[in-house]
């Protein structure tokens, strides 16, 4: 009978079970697993009956509508429902110029990404899709087709709430516009996600802390090297998580400027993806190892252009600030090298969590930040 099934224990492997299911006038056999829930693939079910029901739905759809499914992504409605992506780098890729001209063009493209269009900064951000079980009928917001199955019928972006088929998620452009209601905190939040959700050029933590430090702390001895009281730094962190850009970090609340400096460093350390991203880390380290100063500077500039726009803008703004700090070296005793020692491991971390790799790269991390500070007007 179509849809009939039995479970049988493996004769070769006692304790292992096989699900035999009748479908399409043939018997299909599946290795059955259990870890608190039953599964044969990605989906997990409370009962064998639910597993078989969902499997029959999927088999029927894939068998009777295979041609229809294959065409689902060829004529998407996505671009017509308000999710259009800006291909802002197409022009720069087409143009062929000398190195100097290329540098100017790439910088212009970068700055174009930071300009406002309809009150939104044009940062590119991939969707954060996760498997989701929908209650009641749902339709894919990419192809407009029904999302079938009992559970885990598709995926939902946890940042903006977009619902699509799993196979359609591969075709959705990197144009996620995070919903502020879905962003639970400021610290430990992905940098691009945070700035897109708040519609700002940079994280408000960076702007607020730097503004406060430049107003009353540039001459503070050991700025960024001297630690503030840890408990008070945590208070600042909680204030930003709770109040966002309305967090009060004024001198009346936190008279010690080292607390504000510590809160800024903590923000950078807590980023799930560092300002200098894991993808570009090794390229920056290799650039730092180049002995010829001019070639090294050129190599660093080329890697900078690989950073995501929001990361690039945040790094640019921070380097301008740190350059201001070095102008008061006589009072604060913090030159570019000292700041490189402090900010090297704060802004860049190796992709693999290796103590040995971190120790080996520390001098290059320091050198990269030192060069960025000393040459911020040229590199950015």
């Amino acid at each position: 009978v179509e849809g009939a099934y039995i479970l049988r224990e493996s004769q070769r492997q006692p304790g292992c079970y096989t699900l035999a299911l009748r479908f399409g006038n043939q018997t299909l056999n599946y290795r059955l697993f259990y870890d608190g829930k039953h599964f044969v693939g990605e989906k997990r079910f409370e009962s064998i009956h639910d597993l078989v029901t969902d499997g029959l739905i999927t088999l029927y759809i894939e068998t009777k509508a295979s041609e229809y499914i294959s065409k689902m992504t060829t004529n998407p409605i996505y671009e017509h429902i308000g999710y259009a992506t800006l291909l802002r780098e197409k022009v720069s890729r087409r143009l062929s110029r000398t190195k100097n001209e290329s540098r100017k063009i790439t910088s212009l493209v970068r700055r174009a990404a930071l300009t406002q269009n309809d009150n939104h900064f044009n940062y590119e951000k991939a969707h954060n899709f996760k498997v989701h079980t929908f209650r009641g009928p749902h339709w894919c917001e990419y192809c407009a087709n029904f999302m079938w199955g009992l559970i885990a019928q598709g995926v939902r972006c946890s940042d903006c709430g977009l619902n699509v088929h799993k196979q359609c998620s591969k075709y959705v452009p990197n144009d996620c516009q995070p919903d502020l209601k879905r962003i639970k905190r400021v610290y430990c939040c992905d940098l691009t996600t945070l700035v897109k959700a708040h519609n700002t050029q940079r994280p408000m933590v960076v702007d607020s802390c730097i503004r406060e430090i430049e107003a009353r702390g540039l001459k503070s001895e050991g700025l960024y090297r001297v630690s503030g009281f840890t408990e008070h730094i945590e208070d600042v962190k909680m204030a930003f998580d709770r109040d966002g850009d309305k967090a009060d970090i004024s001198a009346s609340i936190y008279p010690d400027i080292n607390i504000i400096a510590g809160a800024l460093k903590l923000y950078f350390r807590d980023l799930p993806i560092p300002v200098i991203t894991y993808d570009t880390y090794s390229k920056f380290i290799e650039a730092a190892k180049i002995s010829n100063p001019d070639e090294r500077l050129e190599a660093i500039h080329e890697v900078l252009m690989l950073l995501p726009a929001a990361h690039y803008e945040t790094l640019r703004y921070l380097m301008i600030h740190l350059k201001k700090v070095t102008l008061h070296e006589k009072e604060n005793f913090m030159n570019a090298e000292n700041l490189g020692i402090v900010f090297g491991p704060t802004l860049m971390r190796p992709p693999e969590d290796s103590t040995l790799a971190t120790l080996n790269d520390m001098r290059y991390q320091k050198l990269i930040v030192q060069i960025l500070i000393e040459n911020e007007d040229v590199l950015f």
Side-chain angles (χ1 to χ4, degrees):
V1 180
E2 189 88 330
Y5 66 92
I6 60 169
L7 294 178
R8 53 186 175 80
E9 188 173 6
S10 171
Q11 294 179 343
R12 295 180 180 177
Q13 294 179 285
C16 295
Y17 292 84
T18 299
L19 170 68
L21 173 66
R22 285 293 294 175
F23 180 83
N25 297 319
Q26 59 180 321
T27 300
L28 306 174
N29 294 295
Y30 300 95
R31 177 83 177 274
L32 186 65
F33 299 91
Y34 182 77
D35 62 356
K37 291 187 177 182
H38 305 280
F39 65 99
V40 296
E42 291 182 354
K43 295 185 180 182
R44 284 163 166 73
F45 300 85
E46 296 289 348
S47 69
I48 299 293
H49 181 77
D50 285 349
L51 184 153
V52 172
T53 303
D54 185 85
L56 287 170
I57 292 171
T58 303
L59 286 169
Y60 187 85
I61 294 289
E62 289 179 349
T63 303
K64 306 296 184 183
S66 57
E67 186 178 349
Y68 178 72
I69 292 171
S70 67
K71 293 179 180 178
M72 278 170 46
T73 58
T74 59
N75 188 27
I77 61 158
Y78 189 76
E79 61 189 19
H80 305 300
I81 59 174
Y83 295 96
T85 187
L86 294 170
L87 303 176
R88 56 184 170 76
E89 293 186 348
K90 265 191 174 180
V91 175
S92 66
R93 281 197 290 264
R94 287 198 204 106
L95 296 174
S96 176
R97 296 287 188 272
T98 62
K99 279 188 176 182
N100 288 337
E101 286 176 321
S102 293
R103 176 174 290 184
K104 290 177 183 177
I105 291 166
T106 313
S107 297
L108 285 172
V109 172
R110 282 276 170 185
R111 295 191 182 281
L114 307 179
T115 59
Q116 281 185 290
N117 178 28
D118 297 327
N119 297 320
H120 288 284
F121 292 99
N122 301 330
Y123 290 140
E124 187 176 275
K125 179 191 174 325
H127 290 271
N128 186 18
F129 287 120
K130 294 180 179 174
V131 174
H132 189 77
T133 295
F134 299 93
R135 305 296 178 190
H138 264 76
W139 282 261
C140 175
E141 293 172 37
Y142 182 81
C143 71
N145 291 289
F146 185 66
M147 301 171 79
W148 60 86
L150 289 183
I151 66 168
Q153 303 95 330
V155 293
R156 169 176 285 174
C157 176
S158 58
D159 294 334
C160 73
L162 183 70
N163 304 315
V164 297
H165 289 113
K166 185 176 180 181
Q167 63 265 40
C168 289
S169 67
K170 303 169 189 173
Y171 302 98
V172 177
N174 294 334
D175 58 359
C176 176
Q177 181 57 50
D179 184 347
L180 198 54
K181 290 181 288 188
R182 295 175 177 272
I183 308 301
K184 306 298 183 185
R185 54 189 177 179
V186 172
Y187 278 68
C188 302
C189 177
D190 173 70
L191 194 154
T192 302
T193 300
L194 185 69
V195 297
K196 288 209 58 140
H198 287 270
N199 190 31
T200 56
Q201 280 186 284
R202 298 169 295 274
M204 89 284 286
V205 178
V206 176
D207 280 9
S208 297
C209 289
I210 286 179
R211 186 164 54 244
E212 195 68 24
I213 291 167
E214 291 187 354
R216 59 185 175 98
L218 286 177
K219 296 182 180 180
S220 177
E221 185 175 333
L223 180 64
Y224 288 117
R225 180 177 54 79
V226 177
S227 300
F229 191 41
T230 303
E231 189 175 324
H232 290 167
I233 292 173
E234 285 295 325
D235 286 344
V236 174
K237 173 182 176 177
M238 286 190 290
F240 277 115
D241 281 341
R242 183 182 63 247
D243 305 323
D245 58 2
K246 294 181 175 60
D248 187 356
I249 58 171
S250 62
S252 59
I253 308 295
Y254 302 105
D256 182 5
I257 198 63
N258 295 312
I259 293 169
I260 309 304
L264 179 61
K265 289 189 293 180
L266 179 62
Y267 171 75
F268 289 129
R269 285 198 301 273
D270 277 356
L271 285 172
I273 300 174
V275 175
I276 291 177
T277 60
Y278 293 126
D279 289 343
T280 59
Y281 179 86
S282 60
K283 294 182 177 66
F284 272 108
I285 295 298
E286 289 306 310
K289 293 178 180 178
I290 298 173
S291 56
N292 182 287
D294 291 336
E295 291 178 5
R296 182 171 57 203
L297 201 63
E298 183 66 35
I300 290 173
H301 177 265
E302 288 177 5
V303 185
L304 277 173
M305 294 300 106
L306 301 177
L307 288 174
H311 287 245
Y312 176 92
E313 167 59 16
T314 301
L315 186 62
R316 182 191 71 84
Y317 191 73
L318 177 63
M319 291 305 116
I320 291 173
H321 162 67
L322 294 181
K323 186 67 171 284
K324 292 178 184 176
V325 173
T326 64
L327 298 179
H328 298 274
E329 182 188 350
K330 289 183 179 179
E331 293 87 7
N332 60 36
F333 301 107
M334 295 301 289
N335 57 25
E337 184 177 3
N338 292 337
L339 290 168
I341 294 170
V342 173
F343 277 95
T346 301
L347 297 176
M348 55 193 303
R349 304 189 294 272
E352 66 285 349
D353 188 16
S354 166
T355 305
L356 183 61
T358 302
L359 289 173
N360 289 337
D361 292 346
M362 279 184 69
R363 63 190 179 116
Y364 299 115
Q365 293 172 349
K366 183 267 293 183
L367 183 59
I368 285 293
V369 175
Q370 180 181 343
I371 290 171
L372 291 176
I373 296 170
E374 292 173 342
N375 300 277
E376 58 83 16
D377 55 335
V378 175
L379 289 171
F380 296 96

